Amino acid sequence: MKAKVQTNFKSSYKAGYVAKDIAQFYNRGTAIKDKIEIVLNQLRELTDTKSLKTLSQDAVQAFVDTLTDRIDNGELKTKTTSTYISALNDIIRYTNENLNKNLDTVSAKENSLNTGHIEYMDRSVSQELSSSFQSYISQQEGIQSQALAHSVALQKEFGLRLRESLAIKRETLQNALKDGKLRLSRKDMTKDARKRIIPLTKDSQRESIARTLDFMKKNHLQSLIPVQTLKQQYNFAEKVRASFIKSSGEHFRYHDLRHTFAHNLKKEGANEKDIAKRLGHGRLEKTYTA
């Protein structure tokens, strides 16, 4: 084992030292060192992992799931993501070699993080898992948790992205109950500011909107962001998800609620073009169906 192996990244300052060690170990330059440092900091923030000694496969998967969501939300390009995956794999290999671990490296292709054609599969969230996650959220205290619970319900009922479900405007929901259509636009933080219309076809959709509006009115909110910024609530949502995975051992992604919505539409007989429109996809090949 290498003498004085750096393992502690409980702060950004210490993460820099670990990243430098890993980059030097593989004779990499400053660019990859910076990416390794970013990945270490995000692992800490998202999964509360603060040392290579406690790095787990669940923490690795939680980070990968977050990348998938960020790509779908338009925050990352697949080219940038590939450098993060490369940095993550350097971290994993370094950990395995120096700390006698046996963590699996990450395949960008298998996790649908590569460029090119993607083979889709049914990644729907089961009713049992959905209920379990909602129950976990309800056990958390504070208005941020309450807002998250409503956003999760909207994601499942309308196939919204996490960002959209948090930023959706009170006015948008009010109008949906009036005319029977959820009309999303730039103000609701849709990807690429793209407009889309989702018909309300089920009682559960109307009930979810009504409950959300009641929560917003009682707490004087214009969206499901009860803190100063969207980023704060988004990061809170990711931390809750990571904590749920760690405590339950279940694999859950917000993005898979969009799969659930699409899969249910397909079972009900909707064609791919219609599903793509409701999801806000510009290309049919991006439609998430089973």
Side-chain angles (χ1 to χ4, degrees), residues 201 260-271 274-275 278:
T201 59
T260 305
F261 176 74
H263 184 65
N264 288 339
L265 284 177
K266 186 178 181 182
K267 287 196 299 183
E268 292 164 8
N271 60 47
D274 185 39
I275 296 172
R278 298 194 201 190

Side-chain angles (χ1 to χ4, degrees), residues 8-19 37 41 44:
N8 183 346
F9 54 97
K10 64 180 181 180
S11 68
S12 296
Y13 180 74
K14 291 184 177 295
Y17 279 107
V18 177
E37 186 173 350
N41 284 323
R44 182 184 67 252

Side-chain angles (χ1 to χ4, degrees), residues 72-86:
D72 189 60
N73 289 331
E75 297 176 35
L76 287 177
K77 294 182 178 179
T78 50
K79 183 177 180 181
T80 303
T81 304
S82 67
T83 64
Y84 286 152
I85 292 297
S86 177

Side-chain angles (χ1 to χ4, degrees), residues 63-104:
F63 175 76
V64 172
D65 290 345
T66 300
L67 289 182
T68 302
D69 290 337
R70 292 179 67 190
I71 288 176
D72 189 60
N73 289 331
E75 297 176 35
L76 287 177
K77 294 182 178 179
T78 50
K79 183 177 180 181
T80 303
T81 304
S82 67
T83 64
Y84 286 152
I85 292 297
S86 177
L88 176 63
N89 283 333
D90 281 342
I91 293 169
I92 292 171
R93 284 190 287 266
Y94 180 86
T95 302
N96 287 344
E97 187 159 346
N98 289 283
L99 298 175
N100 197 31
K101 287 203 170 192
N102 192 32
L103 299 173
D104 294 328

Side-chain angles (χ1 to χ4, degrees), residues 134 137 142-155 162 165-166 212 215-216 219 221 223-227 233 236-237:
Q134 283 283 27
I137 298 175
I143 191 171
Q144 280 187 272
S145 296
Q146 295 172 43
L148 177 59
H150 286 288
S151 78
V152 169
L154 292 177
Q155 288 173 63
L162 172 59
S165 71
L166 296 174
T212 301
F215 169 75
M216 287 179 168
N219 292 281
L221 298 174
S223 69
L224 289 174
I225 307 171
V227 285
Q233 185 66 9
F236 172 79

Side-chain angles (χ1 to χ4, degrees), residues 229-263:
T229 67
L230 171 59
K231 183 177 180 180
Q232 286 178 306
Q233 185 66 9
Y234 187 96
N235 289 341
F236 172 79
E238 287 296 349
K239 288 180 180 179
V240 170
R241 183 179 73 88
S243 178
F244 169 74
I245 292 172
K246 184 176 181 180
S247 65
S248 68
E250 297 280 1
H251 180 62
F252 174 84
R253 302 190 315 164
Y254 293 110
H255 188 74
D256 286 345
L257 294 171
R258 278 168 63 76
H259 284 273
T260 305
F261 176 74
H263 184 65

Side-chain angles (χ1 to χ4, degrees), residues 172 174-183 197 200 206:
T172 300
Q174 289 172 333
N175 290 335
L177 288 185
K178 290 179 182 178
D179 68 8
K181 294 179 180 179
L182 184 66
R183 301 176 185 273
I197 299 174
L200 275 63
R206 290 183 172 276

